[in-house]
Amino acid sequence: MRERLTVFAVRIVKMVDAMPSSVAGQAIARQVIRSGTSPSANYRAACLAKSDKDFINKLKMVEEELDETCHWLEIIMRSELMKESRMKPLHQECSELLNIIAKSIITTKTRVNTDKIVK
């Protein structure tokens, strides 16, 4: 997961560098560069979490940033700032990563709650 999120961040960087230099293009580029690169850093932080609660909280940040990135990628496609054919694979990867992280959060919460019942 760590490598996949890093590769995703690099793809976002390259995509942002190809954005048009219009006012809208630059404004959205600034948003998507932040939201699209932070999941890899936040995931690394989650891997160093001090507790299950800390791990879940950090994964929630990854989830939020991925969701925001999906939003910006949709805006880029709908506004035709970049060709949809170029954006679709990146959007698909973002959606897949988001689903994996969401399921990881659910799995960890379930495990934590099961551990509480057993104790």
Side-chain angles (χ1 to χ4, degrees), residues 74-87:
E74 291 164 13
I75 296 296
I76 292 166
M77 287 188 290
R78 288 184 185 193
S79 63
E80 300 177 352
L81 284 170
M82 295 186 76
K83 290 184 180 180
E84 187 172 337
S85 61
R86 181 173 182 184
M87 299 303 299

Side-chain angles (χ1 to χ4, degrees), residues 29-46:
R30 281 190 296 280
Q31 295 293 326
V32 77
I33 194 74
R34 288 184 191 102
S35 68
T37 57
S38 70
S40 66
N42 287 327
Y43 184 80
R44 289 176 68 103

Side-chain angles (χ1 to χ4, degrees), residues 39-57:
S40 66
N42 287 327
Y43 184 80
R44 289 176 68 103
C47 290
L48 299 173
K50 306 288 187 249
S51 66
D52 288 330
K53 185 177 178 182
D54 188 32
F55 180 72
I56 291 167
N57 286 336

Side-chain angles (χ1 to χ4, degrees), residues 11 73-74 76-77 82-96:
R11 289 176 66 192
L73 295 175
E74 291 164 13
I76 292 166
M77 287 188 290
M82 295 186 76
K83 290 184 180 180
E84 187 172 337
S85 61
R86 181 173 182 184
M87 299 303 299
K88 276 237 186 242
L90 192 57
H91 184 265
Q92 178 65 34
E93 177 67 356
C94 189
S95 296
E96 288 177 15

Side-chain angles (χ1 to χ4, degrees), residues 19-30 81:
M19 290 277 291
S21 59
S22 65
V23 172
Q26 291 304 300
I28 292 171
R30 281 190 296 280
L81 284 170

Side-chain angles (χ1 to χ4, degrees), residues 63-75:
E63 180 184 45
E64 289 171 12
E65 294 295 332
L66 285 168
D67 184 60
E68 181 179 342
T69 302
C70 284
H71 166 75
W72 290 119
L73 295 175
E74 291 164 13
I75 296 296

